């Protein structure tokens, strides 16, 4: 062994030899709530006889190995036969290249899996025929890139046993396939006839997708998987909904006619036809239990649903783990993925082209983000809108990006439903064995255009000449079964006629159909659809509990923390808790978290470096300085506390991680989900998630989320990036009412806050979980305020009867001549300047702590406290075209005394958040402060 390899081997042995309690948290799930180590699987090594065979027949072994690696390049995967075989693969898979010749026989034990054990001699011709049947038929396998030897061997043995021997598809199974295929075609034809102007994104050409999904549901039921969470785009969505997922066609047809999917008394903007969702319990013969299938709502932004589905699947599994642990009849032993399966469907061009795919894949094996392995199904049309594959990707297959996580890939020709079923079974077995992602590349075609109103021959005349000259997949399979004597033409006609008649009946029923609100059930049954936002609610906690939580938040539990933490974090916090004064931001945040944990609420905070905090302020996890053993102190407030804090230090992703947290928040209203950006503007990479899920999911789908986004914000000379969380974008996305005289209650879709005290932060976080509904909360969080000597709160500000205050103001005063409105960090600079100028009596400050929903009544009552004020100013650090000004100015102006105008003080309009020239920044900042008093 080389010295380097020996060194690595010693390191690995040393690490794994440590007692479990002494291993770093990176190695064990016992120390950190929510941490799940990847499932490790191994196989026994080859026997001595098998090793001998492999050595003696090394040429044959090389030949078989290359076939396993390259056989897919010879496979007949394209139903249109437009993709030629790879000539280099033909060359490399010639037996003569390996010194093999006809007539030779070999003992293939340990070289090729024949389905039987022990010595077995085979001739070269038989071996080649078996390899062709296994690896170069209508299914192609890519396992050779798997770095784990056990996984590769397991995959090869399973495939060789399954593909080259009896495949176990009986007549009943074939009839079931035909049934699904035929009904899918009937549905598409029905829609084309009854709704010819509707873009339905039918499944024609890829009907075998229905077989994939049916096999996955059946396999899940048989493996005691209780929940399947599906994220999928538009292609074939209506087919899947109305058939396997039992969605009421009358509801669908009612929607197509332009009616709302919600009852008349339920507010909501609704969404388009191809985004509807469904949850249903399915039972399969021989299954261990019914399987609950959830097809999630899907925005049109391609692949954005992927991380959401993964997050929901993980959260669902965690809830099951808790239920099983608490049950006296069920074993608590349950790995992530045992009971919940995530299925993600993709388009071929989208899978290859959308960055969120790669980001989601990168989460798949991370200990705080794994959902136990997703099954990816690429419904491969071999075209993206009008873009052919050579313009859509830089790789051979659209699935190749999956190799970034070493996911096995199974390519299958969608024209062969039986092979599709076998490929699906193999994929499910792999995922269930290794709890890792696997990809099914269902290579099909698209009979119509991107939608049914397109003409695809404008851009792909050759492809569509082939497509329009061939029989459909259902018709081909029906003819095959007729020839095999499995089914008669009369039976086929009966299936088609009955389903067509059923759809006609449902169309008739749609004229009187009354929708129901399919929301707030199960875990959400204690929640309500809010009619108006409640911003003030008692979120205080007893002082005794707060002290208990605060002390527990820095308890080391045997961990030896860094000496600086003991001096500057732990001891000061304990002293301030004892006095009840001077509590900083991180302490009040910890009090909010811990008090919620004691109230049977879970807290999950996710993002880059959230355990320590970007600004080294949080330290919610303490790491032992000798061996990196880690403890989360707030998980040990009491021995029996019901709630847990999960600190999920993420990879360097925003899009996928924020989407993942949306999915987690959708699953259970009793889990406070927080995504913290390293700097406020990092959310830029996740704008699609914000636009299509965070700000609008309740309006579009009645899907509530209490997700909190913490976005560090504030100008401190950092330059164009990392100064601003672009609060103006979030305000633009809110639907807070625009007119004070509007009698409609302000039922704002999400809250946007810029708090200036630690106690306010405490109340904001608790309010998220105390209310009986859930709304997203966007917090422009602090940076320099984290340690500012003036930015402290007393314990009494969080005691019983206290609550979040949307507006903080100076005391009412008859002497104030000017009222300065503002938000955030700038307040402390202005207070200092006001004192220096001797203007304490004449200038009053009013802080908008919550900007949306706009605090109309609080601002109005505050203004009444300054009856002699004649000047009114809005001041902000951000440029005039950014920040809160454009949102607050037209609203504030409605509340000012008659004839009064609101003056703006701040930076002029800029194309960037801030200058990168330090001298200019200082001059601008000085001018902003001076402008408030000019």
């Amino acid at each position: 062994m080389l010295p380097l390899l020996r060194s690595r081997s010693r390191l690995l042995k040393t690490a794994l030899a440590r007692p479990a309690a002494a291993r770093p948290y990176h190695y064990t799930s016992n120390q950190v709530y929510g941490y799940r180590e990847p499932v490790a699987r191994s196989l026994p090594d080859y026997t001595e006889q098998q090793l001998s065979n492999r050595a003696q027949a090394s040429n044959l072994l090389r030949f078989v190995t290359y076939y396993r690696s390259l056989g897919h390049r010879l496979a007949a995967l394209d139903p249109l036969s437009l993709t030629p075989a790879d000539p280099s693969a033909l060359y490399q898979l010639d037996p003569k290249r390996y010194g093999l010749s006809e007539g030779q026989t070999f003992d293939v034990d340990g070289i090729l899996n024949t389905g039987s054990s022990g010595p077995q001699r085979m001739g070269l011709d038989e071996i080649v025929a078996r390899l062709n049947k296994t690896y170069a038929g209508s299914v192609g396998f890519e396992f050779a890139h798997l770095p784990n030897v056990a996984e590769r061997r397991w995959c090869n043995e399973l495939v060789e046993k399954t593909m080259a021997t009896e495949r176990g598809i009986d007549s009943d199974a074939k009839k079931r396939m035909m049934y699904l295929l035929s009904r899918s075609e009937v549905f598409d034809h029905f829609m084309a006839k009854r709704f010819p102007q509707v873009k339905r994104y039918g499944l024609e050409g890829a009907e075998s997708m229905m077989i994939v999904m049916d096999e996955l549901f059946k396999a899940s039921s048989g493996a005691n998987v209780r929940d399947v969470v599906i994220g999928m785009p538009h292609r074939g969505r209506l087919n899947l909904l109305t058939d396997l997922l039992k969605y009421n066609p009358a509801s669908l047809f009612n929607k197509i006619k332009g009616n709302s999917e919600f009852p008349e008394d339920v507010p909501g903007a609704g969404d388009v036809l191809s985004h509807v969702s469904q949850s249903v319990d399915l039972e399969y013969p021989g299954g261990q239990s019914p399987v609950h299938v959830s097809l999630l709502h899907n925005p049109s932004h391609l692949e954005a649903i992927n991380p959401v589905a993964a997050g929901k699947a993980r959260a669902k599994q965690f809830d099951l783990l808790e239920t099983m642990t608490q049950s006296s009849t069920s074993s608590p032993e349950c790995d992530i993925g045992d009971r919940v399966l995530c299925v993600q469907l993709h388009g071929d061009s989208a899978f290859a082209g959308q960055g969120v795919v790669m980001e989601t894949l990168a989460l798949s094996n991370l200990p705080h983000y794994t959902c136990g392995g997703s099954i990816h199904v690429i419904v491969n049309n071999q075209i993206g809108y009008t873009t052919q594959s050579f313009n859509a990707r830089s790789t051979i297959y659209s699935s190749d990006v999956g190799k970034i996580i070493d996911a096995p890939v199974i390519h299958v020709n969608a024209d062969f439903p039986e092979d599709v079923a076998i490929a699906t079974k193999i994929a499910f077995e792999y995922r269930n064995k290794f709890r890792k992602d696997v990809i099914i590349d269902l290579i099909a075609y698209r009979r119509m255009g991107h939608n049914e109103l397109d003409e695809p021959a404008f851009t792909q005349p050759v492809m569509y000449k082939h497509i329009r000259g061939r029989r459909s997949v259902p018709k081909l399979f029906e003819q095959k079964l007729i020839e095999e004597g499995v089914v008669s033409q009369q039976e086929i006609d009966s299936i088609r006629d009955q389903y067509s008649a059923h759809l006609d009946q449902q169309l008739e029923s749609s004229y009187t159909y009354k929708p129901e609100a399919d929301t707030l059930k199960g875990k959400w049954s204690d929640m309500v659809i809010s009619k108006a936002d409640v911003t003030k609610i008692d979120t205080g906690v007893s002082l005794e509990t707060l002290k208990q939580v605060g002390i527990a938040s820095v308890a080391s539990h045997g961990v030896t923390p860094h000496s600086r933490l003991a001096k500057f974090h732990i001891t000061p916090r304990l002293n301030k808790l004892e006095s009840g004064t001077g509590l900083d931001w991180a302490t009040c945040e910890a009090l909010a978290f811990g008090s919620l944990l004691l109230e049977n609420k879970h807290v999950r905070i996710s993002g880059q470096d959230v355990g320590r905090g970007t600004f080294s302020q949080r330290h919610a996890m303490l790491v032992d300085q000798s061996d990196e053993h880690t403890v989360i102190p707030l998980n040990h407030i009491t021995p029996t506390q019901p709630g847990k804090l999960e600190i999920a230090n993420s990879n360097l992703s925003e899009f996928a991680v924020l989407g993942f947290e949306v999915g987690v928040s959708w699953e259970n209203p009793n889990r406070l989900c927080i995504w913290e950006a390293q700097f406020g503007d990092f959310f830029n990479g996740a704008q699609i998630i914000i636009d299509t899920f965070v700000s609008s999911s309740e309006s579009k789908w009645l899907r509530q989320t209490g997700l909190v986004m913490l976005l560090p914000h504030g100008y401190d000379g950092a330059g164009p990036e990392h100064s601003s969380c672009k609060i103006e974008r979030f305000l633009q996305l809110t639907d807070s009412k625009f007119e004070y005289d509007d009698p409609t209650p302000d039922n704002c879709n999400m809250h946007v806050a810029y708090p200036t005290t630690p106690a306010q932060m405490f109340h904001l976080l608790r309010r998220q979980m105390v209310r009986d509904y859930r709304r997203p909360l966007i917090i422009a969080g602090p940076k320099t305020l984290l340690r500012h000597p003036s930015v402290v709160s007393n314990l009494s500000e969080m005691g019983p009867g206290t609550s979040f205050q949307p507006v903080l103001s100076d005391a009412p005063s008859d002497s104030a001549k000017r009222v300065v409105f503002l938000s955030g960090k700038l307040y402390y600079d202005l207070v200092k300047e006001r004192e220096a100028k001797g203007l304490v009596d004449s200038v009053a400050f009013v802080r908008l702590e919550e900007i949306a929903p706009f605090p109309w009544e609080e601002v109005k009552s505050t203004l009444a406290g300054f009856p002699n004020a004649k000047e009114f100013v809005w001041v902000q650090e951000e440029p005039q075209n950014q920040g809160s000004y454009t949102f607050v100015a037209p609203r504030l102006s409605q509340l000012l005394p008659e004839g009064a105008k609101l003056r703006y003080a701040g930076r002029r309009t800029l194309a960037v958040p801030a200058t990168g020239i330090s001298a200019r920044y200082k001059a601008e900042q000085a001018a902003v402060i001076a402008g408030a008093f000019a």
Side-chain angles (χ1 to χ4, degrees):
M1 183 183 290
L2 294 173
L4 179 61
L5 293 178
R6 279 199 293 269
S7 175
R8 288 180 177 173
S9 178
R10 283 196 300 271
L11 286 171
L12 181 61
K13 289 178 180 178
T14 301
L16 296 180
R18 295 177 181 173
R23 291 185 198 169
Y25 81 97
H26 306 283
Y27 286 95
T28 177
S29 61
N30 296 329
Q31 307 304 322
V32 179
Y33 174 76
Y35 189 100
R36 285 297 182 272
E37 296 179 63
V39 174
R41 301 282 191 261
S42 61
L43 293 177
D45 198 6
Y46 294 104
T47 65
E48 290 296 326
Q49 180 59 48
Q50 289 173 331
L51 289 172
S52 176
N53 286 346
R54 291 167 67 87
Q56 292 179 20
S58 58
N59 285 359
L60 176 64
L61 178 60
R62 288 173 57 224
F63 175 63
V64 171
T65 300
Y66 267 92
Y67 234 105
R68 289 168 173 164
S69 302
L70 296 175
H72 60 92
R73 298 297 294 130
L74 299 182
L77 301 177
D78 181 6
L80 302 179
S81 301
L82 296 176
T83 306
D86 182 1
S88 65
L90 286 169
Y91 175 66
Q92 294 186 69
L93 297 181
D94 183 352
K96 295 177 182 177
R97 183 177 176 84
Y98 304 91
L100 304 174
S101 57
E102 294 183 14
Q104 286 184 287
T105 62
F106 303 89
D107 183 352
V108 298
D109 188 25
I111 298 175
L112 195 63
N113 185 20
T114 63
S116 59
S117 59
Q120 182 175 353
R121 297 202 70 83
M122 295 177 64
L124 180 61
D125 289 348
E126 185 180 357
I127 292 170
V128 171
R130 180 178 285 269
L131 290 171
N132 273 324
K133 186 176 181 181
T134 302
Y135 293 107
S138 56
V139 186
F141 300 95
E142 290 192 86
F143 302 141
H145 60 281
L146 302 184
N148 186 289
V149 176
E151 285 185 39
R152 287 202 307 273
R153 183 177 162 198
W154 184 91
C155 290
N156 290 328
E157 290 183 356
L158 174 64
V159 165
E160 287 161 15
K161 177 182 177 181
T162 302
M163 299 300 293
T165 57
E166 177 55 45
R167 302 186 182 190
I169 299 180
D170 58 25
S171 295
D172 288 340
K174 292 178 181 179
K175 286 182 179 179
R176 171 70 175 174
M177 294 177 199
M178 183 210 69
Y179 175 83
L180 293 173
L181 294 173
S182 301
R183 284 165 61 97
S184 176
E185 186 169 63
V186 168
F187 177 81
D188 277 328
H189 288 178
F190 177 90
M191 294 290 285
K193 179 180 179 181
R194 301 296 188 184
F195 304 102
Q197 299 304 312
V198 171
K199 300 175 182 178
R200 66 182 186 278
Y201 304 103
L203 198 52
E204 292 165 286
E207 292 92 345
S208 289
M209 184 198 83
M210 300 293 287
I211 293 174
V212 174
M213 302 309 293
D214 191 50
E215 290 292 337
L216 289 178
F217 299 154
K218 181 168 64 176
S220 296
S221 178
N224 203 22
V225 172
R226 300 180 184 178
D227 287 90
V228 176
V229 179
I230 305 174
M232 76 174 295
H234 45 277
R235 177 75 57 208
R237 190 180 183 94
L238 302 186
N239 302 63
L240 180 64
L241 275 166
T242 52
D243 196 333
L244 283 173
L245 301 189
K246 303 179 181 180
Y247 188 86
N248 187 350
S251 175
L252 188 75
F253 301 150
N254 182 67
K255 173 71 175 172
I256 292 174
K257 295 172 187 175
N259 298 313
S260 173
E261 58 267 46
F262 307 142
E264 293 181 359
D265 61 338
V266 174
D271 203 354
V272 298
L273 182 68
S274 54
H275 296 174
V276 295
S277 70
Q278 172 73 330
S279 292
V280 64
D281 291 319
L282 302 178
E283 293 192 26
Y284 281 83
Q288 293 192 45
S289 61
V291 58
H292 183 76
V293 179
S294 302
L295 174 64
L296 303 185
H297 292 281
N298 178 64
S300 291
H301 282 276
L302 297 173
E303 309 295 329
I305 192 63
N306 298 352
V308 180
K312 184 173 173 63
R314 178 183 168 90
K316 191 178 284 288
Q317 179 74 76
F318 257 76
D319 286 352
L320 280 173
L321 287 171
E322 288 184 5
T323 302
M324 294 178 70
T325 301
Q326 295 165 3
S327 171
S328 59
T329 59
S330 299
S331 168
E333 296 299 322
C334 181
D335 287 330
I336 290 289
D338 279 0
R339 299 292 179 265
V340 182
L341 169 66
C342 179
V343 179
Q344 298 173 36
L345 289 96
H346 316 269
D348 47 318
S349 292
F351 194 77
Q354 293 292 302
V356 68
V357 174
M358 281 66 93
E359 287 193 31
T360 306
L361 290 171
L363 294 177
S364 62
N365 293 320
L366 299 183
H368 285 285
Y369 298 89
T370 179
C371 62
S374 295
I375 295 181
H376 300 267
V377 182
I378 301 174
V379 181
N380 192 336
N381 298 314
Q382 306 189 69
I383 189 173
Y385 208 140
T386 67
T387 303
Q388 290 183 303
S389 59
F390 53 79
N391 284 329
R393 59 180 183 266
S394 298
T395 59
I396 296 174
Y397 298 115
S398 61
S399 59
D400 285 337
V401 295
K403 293 176 183 175
I404 66 171
I405 57 163
D406 303 311
V409 182
I410 305 172
H411 309 279
V412 58
N413 188 325
D415 264 9
F416 297 88
E418 292 154 292
D419 285 336
V420 170
I422 292 168
T424 305
K425 290 175 182 176
I426 292 172
F428 183 87
E429 286 195 45
Y430 172 87
R431 181 267 176 195
N432 244 29
K433 175 74 173 178
F434 296 103
R435 293 292 187 274
K436 294 171 69 176
D437 288 31
V438 59
I439 299 169
I440 300 171
D441 182 16
L442 182 68
I443 302 176
Y445 59 89
R446 190 187 68 196
R447 182 167 289 276
M448 311 301 287
H450 175 70
N451 62 67
E452 286 70 24
L453 307 185
D454 288 335
E455 175 47 74
F458 288 159
T459 49
Q460 279 78 34
V462 174
M463 173 182 276
Y464 276 86
K465 182 178 180 180
H466 280 265
I467 291 173
R468 288 167 176 170
R470 72 195 317 275
R471 298 182 71 189
S472 68
V473 176
K475 291 291 178 59
L476 288 171
F477 194 60
E478 288 169 355
Q479 185 59 39
K480 180 178 184 293
L481 297 193
I482 290 173
E483 292 172 358
E484 291 179 359
V486 172
V487 69
S488 68
Q489 185 64 56
Q490 289 76 13
E491 290 176 276
I492 294 169
D493 293 341
S494 175
I495 290 171
R496 287 176 170 267
D497 291 344
Q498 287 181 21
Y499 194 44
S500 182
H502 170 71
L503 294 175
D504 275 325
Q505 182 183 19
Q506 292 299 307
L507 179 60
E508 185 65 28
S509 300
S510 69
Y511 290 98
T512 56
Y513 177 80
K514 298 295 182 184
E516 297 180 1
D518 185 21
T519 186
L520 302 181
K521 299 177 181 178
K523 299 170 189 173
W524 288 79
S525 57
D526 291 335
M527 298 291 107
V528 301
I529 298 176
S530 172
K531 305 297 184 182
D533 263 318
V534 178
T535 57
K536 280 193 175 182
I537 185 170
D538 185 355
T539 47
V541 177
S542 75
L543 301 187
E544 180 182 353
T545 299
L546 290 176
K547 284 190 175 183
Q548 177 191 17
V549 169
I551 293 169
S553 71
V554 288
S556 59
H557 298 280
V559 164
T560 303
H562 195 282
S563 58
R564 288 174 59 187
L565 287 185
K567 183 176 181 180
F568 297 110
H569 176 69
I570 297 174
T571 301
R573 179 173 292 185
L574 292 173
N575 292 338
K576 291 171 183 176
L577 286 165
E578 180 65 26
S579 68
T581 60
L583 301 177
D584 63 15
W585 207 279
T587 299
C588 293
E589 180 192 75
L591 297 181
F593 291 165
S595 59
L596 288 172
L597 301 180
L598 295 177
E599 295 169 6
N600 200 19
K601 304 291 194 297
H602 291 305
V603 178
R604 174 181 163 98
I605 179 166
S606 169
Q608 297 145 23
D609 313 298
V610 293
R612 190 197 76 165
T614 296
F615 309 99
S616 197
Q617 83 284 3
R618 179 171 292 120
H619 300 292
M621 52 181 253
L622 300 178
V623 182
D624 191 273
Q625 294 303 292
S626 61
D627 64 0
E628 295 188 3
H629 171 77
T630 300
V631 67
I632 309 293
L634 284 175
N635 284 335
H636 306 280
I637 305 171
T638 70
T640 58
Q641 69 182 68
K644 292 293 184 181
L645 170 62
E646 182 172 9
I647 299 294
N649 287 319
S650 76
N651 66 347
L652 204 63
S653 158
E654 288 81 38
F655 194 159
V657 171
L658 182 60
F660 194 96
E661 300 312 316
V662 168
V664 173
S665 73
W666 274 3
E667 177 57 24
N668 192 329
N670 291 320
R671 183 181 286 108
L672 175 62
C673 294
I674 301 171
W675 178 72
E676 182 177 63
Q678 201 168 65
F679 287 94
D681 57 348
F682 276 33
F683 82 85
N684 273 328
Q687 189 69 59
I688 287 174
I689 295 295
I690 296 164
D691 291 345
T692 56
F693 291 101
V694 177
S695 69
S696 59
S697 66
E698 185 174 12
S699 182
K700 291 189 295 189
W701 311 318
L702 304 183
R703 176 78 75 173
Q704 294 186 14
T705 170
L707 179 72
V708 177
M709 293 177 62
L710 290 182
L711 308 176
H713 175 86
Y715 282 43
D716 48 20
E721 278 76 53
H722 306 348
S723 292
S724 174
C725 75
K726 303 184 185 298
I727 198 169
E728 66 277 359
R729 291 194 191 170
F730 295 96
L731 293 172
Q732 186 185 38
L733 289 172
T734 67
D735 59 0
S736 182
K737 70 178 184 179
F738 203 88
E739 302 290 341
Y740 176 63
D741 293 335
D742 182 354
T744 307
D746 201 349
N747 196 21
C748 192
N749 62 317
M750 63 181 181
H751 290 242
V752 181
Y754 194 176
T756 57
T757 75
Q760 288 281 75
M761 181 67 168
F762 169 88
H763 289 298
L764 275 172
L765 293 174
R766 284 189 50 79
R767 190 182 69 179
Q768 284 296 97
M769 305 304 287
V770 171
R771 293 186 297 203
D772 58 358
Y773 61 92
R774 297 291 178 256
R775 284 278 158 76
L777 171 62
I778 313 301
I779 299 179
K783 294 189 290 183
T784 57
L785 297 192
L786 290 168
R787 294 181 179 85
H788 196 292
S790 298
V791 186
V792 292
S793 295
N794 297 333
L795 211 58
S796 60
E797 296 175 60
M798 295 168 278
T802 59
S803 64
F804 174 76
Q805 304 299 311
V807 174
L808 293 179
S809 171
D810 293 340
S813 171
D814 291 343
S815 62
K817 304 302 183 201
R818 174 180 296 178
V819 175
V820 176
F821 297 95
L822 72 154
S823 286
K825 156 185 174 289
L826 189 61
Y827 168 74
Y828 294 95
D829 297 329
L830 293 176
V831 166
K832 184 178 179 181
E833 184 71 9
R834 181 175 64 175
E835 291 177 354
K837 289 179 177 294
L839 298 174
V840 174
D841 293 331
S842 59
V843 177
F845 292 141
V846 176
R847 285 172 275 171
L848 300 191
E849 298 280 290
E850 185 165 59
I851 307 163
F854 187 76
W856 294 96
E857 298 303 330
E858 290 86 350
V859 171
K860 184 177 181 181
S861 62
T862 299
L863 280 172
F866 306 107
N868 296 317
K870 303 299 182 184
E871 299 177 37
F872 303 91
V873 182
W874 173 263
V875 61
Q876 64 179 32
E877 293 185 299
E878 304 86 356
Q880 189 171 6
N881 56 319
Q882 301 171 43
S884 302
Y885 175 65
T886 56
F887 180 87
V888 301
R891 291 170 170 83
L892 279 175
S893 297
Q894 298 175 54
L895 301 177
L896 300 181
E898 187 176 354
K901 292 185 178 181
L902 183 70
R903 180 169 66 85
Y904 170 79
R907 285 173 169 81
R908 62 180 177 81
T909 57
L910 285 174
V912 295
T915 177
I917 302 169
S918 59
R920 184 179 298 172
Y921 167 78
K922 292 176 182 177
E924 287 178 353
Q925 193 73 358
V928 169
I929 294 171
F933 303 98

